[in-house]
Amino acid sequence: MDRLTFALAAFAGFAQPYVAATSATTTGGNAMSIQWGSCEPFGYANSTLSCGLFEVPLDYHDPSAGNGRIAVIKANATGDRQGTFFFNPGGPGGSGLQNLGPYPDFVTTLLEFTGGTYNVVSWDSRGVGAFSIPGEVYCFGSVDEYTAFFNGTIDLKGIEMYGNFTDETDLRDLYAQADTMEKRYQELGNMGPVDLSTTTVSRTAPSSASVFPERVGKVIIDGVLDPIALDTTEIAIGWNNPALLDADRVYEAFITGCALAGSQGCAITKEGQTPLNVHASVQELLKAAHDADLQEPTVPYTSGLLRDGLYEQMYWPNSWRTLSNDNFIAVITQEAQAVDNTTHPTLAGAMKMMKRHGLLKRAANESESETKSYTRSAILCGDSIDSTGSLSMTDLFDYVVESSRDISHMFGALWPFYTYYCNHWPARAVETYRGPFDKTLADPILIIGNTYDPVTPFRSAKALAEGPGESAGLVRLNGVGHTTLPSPSTCIQNIVLAFRNLVS
């Protein structure tokens, strides 16, 4: 097979997309082709995009296992085409179709990012979306089954805590669920083994470059977790450090921006208030939700769900105006109504919140029912080191409390979280590359990171760049949010274009 001459890379991450690319043509290997056509059968009416299906072996070492398939999407170059830019949707469990299909402005951004001379191609990874085989991982047939299974537990309502997680009542209520949650997660793990193999961007780009240094072309990684750090301990108690190391710094940027915008630009502040005043307003809302749940368990938003929703918004600074001016007001109104007994929302309110933040996905059978997808857990758990089986739910709770106190006061107690299922997840990937990541590469690799990223801290980018030595370049954008795309930068674009034109 010809060496891939241009792999413009994998903007990595956890819940948000980023990019990978290769040259347009190779020879040998998988000769299957893609029949490109309209994206309307895939749910997108944008006539500038093309969609198709691509067959892939279920087992590259055993042809008798047959083929699966992934859905792919393409935006054509706006100028003289020089190659193809592959956009890895990240996640893990991200959908290339969902990232490009509904968002023409984002497609334009990617085309401009490459200078307009490369087709942009993205895809749904194995186990992602309604069109891939294998498809999404579901353990429950409906949301009703899911809620019945976890009824009365923190998997539905999140963890109620306030401040630095030192309140004795909060701690008692959490640890009181240890036995129940242990049994539920064991039962969940017994529902059937699932292995979706290695698809996380934090592994895909560094691993590809290290395993095939003579075949992988130029690679760009924007937003990455240090893969070596993820291999030093079980992921169930190894994710928050490093992932959440800078999450509170991003939150501080949010409250600072709110204070600077004043009451005209941020509804949760008043003129002349400081970031500490805005922080106090956020804490008042969390405390109100915390206390309201104790008073009326059917309130629509618990403090745990609110922290989860707030954390998702930290990825995209361009969403902060809506967050501060619309979402907070809506939550406060509904919370007050529930406590005043003027309305009695049930768990449906919590489920709507979870759906809005991507925890619920449309069922693969395309019916109107909804249920929770476990695809991200299947990928993360499959890529992690083997479980020793010695971790108990009490150990996980200890980890959550310590994370809240020592790593991220705001987001250390997020629950449920994809990695917390891994202690009981029944399968690990057959092949997962675990280094070394210091090989001399045929083409350079460019690693980019924000100063403060809520899930892929810059120190991870720096650690990864140290491995290949002179084969790697490191760029830091003085910005916040997940990866550099939320903060468009002419400087970053110029660096990328210059990197693309480097002669190996």
Side-chain angles (χ1 to χ4, degrees), residues 4 10 22 45 64 152 167 182 186 273 313 365 369 380 390 426 454 501:
L4 300 180
T22 79
S64 67
D167 183 83
E182 188 85 55
Q186 285 177 345
Q273 287 194 331
Q313 297 299 316
N365 60 10
S369 64
L380 283 166
S390 62
N501 295 326

Side-chain angles (χ1 to χ4, degrees), residues 226-251:
D226 183 356
I228 299 175
L230 294 179
D231 285 342
T232 58
T233 187
E234 293 186 47
I235 197 169
I237 56 170
W239 178 268
N240 291 350
N241 184 358
L244 297 181
L245 289 174
D246 288 335
D248 283 0
R249 305 289 84 76
V250 180
Y251 167 74

Side-chain angles (χ1 to χ4, degrees), residues 9 43 95 104 115 348 393 437 458 489:
S95 165
M393 190 60 61
F437 297 97
F458 183 73
S489 166

Side-chain angles (χ1 to χ4, degrees), residues 309-366:
L310 184 62
Y311 177 67
E312 294 287 341
Q313 297 299 316
M314 293 300 98
Y315 283 53
W316 299 97
N318 53 7
S319 73
W320 290 355
R321 179 179 292 273
T322 299
L323 172 66
S324 60
N325 290 320
D326 298 330
N327 294 357
F328 271 98
I329 302 303
V331 168
I332 292 171
T333 300
Q334 292 187 45
E335 202 74 37
Q337 289 176 338
V339 174
D340 290 340
N341 294 321
T342 56
T343 184
H344 295 277
T346 64
L347 281 174
M351 301 312 295
K352 288 179 180 178
M353 181 76 168
M354 295 173 73
K355 176 185 174 184
R356 184 167 65 186
H357 294 292
L359 295 182
L360 298 178
K361 294 185 178 180
R362 183 69 57 183
N365 60 10
E366 299 181 354

Side-chain angles (χ1 to χ4, degrees), residues 267-415:
I268 59 175
T269 190
K270 297 178 181 178
E271 294 301 328
Q273 287 194 331
T274 67
L276 288 178
N277 296 131
V278 180
H279 174 64
S281 297
V282 175
Q283 293 303 306
E284 287 175 8
L285 175 60
L286 293 175
K287 184 66 163 60
H290 171 278
D291 295 346
D293 184 51
L294 298 179
Q295 176 183 342
E296 173 55 67
T298 61
V299 292
Y301 303 120
T302 66
S303 66
L305 289 176
L306 290 179
R307 281 195 307 275
D308 174 78
L310 184 62
Y311 177 67
E312 294 287 341
Q313 297 299 316
M314 293 300 98
Y315 283 53
W316 299 97
N318 53 7
S319 73
W320 290 355
R321 179 179 292 273
T322 299
L323 172 66
S324 60
N325 290 320
D326 298 330
N327 294 357
F328 271 98
I329 302 303
V331 168
I332 292 171
T333 300
Q334 292 187 45
E335 202 74 37
Q337 289 176 338
V339 174
D340 290 340
N341 294 321
T342 56
T343 184
H344 295 277
T346 64
L347 281 174
M351 301 312 295
K352 288 179 180 178
M353 181 76 168
M354 295 173 73
K355 176 185 174 184
R356 184 167 65 186
H357 294 292
L359 295 182
L360 298 178
K361 294 185 178 180
R362 183 69 57 183
N365 60 10
E366 299 181 354
S367 70
E368 289 303 311
S369 64
E370 294 172 343
T371 188
K372 180 174 179 176
S373 168
Y374 286 88
T375 290
R376 289 184 177 180
S377 293
I379 296 171
L380 283 166
C381 299
D383 281 348
S384 69
I385 62 175
D386 291 341
S387 172
T388 63
S390 62
L391 285 176
S392 67
M393 190 60 61
T394 297
D395 293 327
L396 277 182
F397 287 173
D398 288 343
Y399 175 68
V400 168
V401 173
E402 292 169 3
S403 296
S404 183
R405 292 174 179 174
D406 301 333
I407 298 175
S408 172
H409 297 321
M410 285 296 298
F411 308 116
L414 295 179
W415 193 291

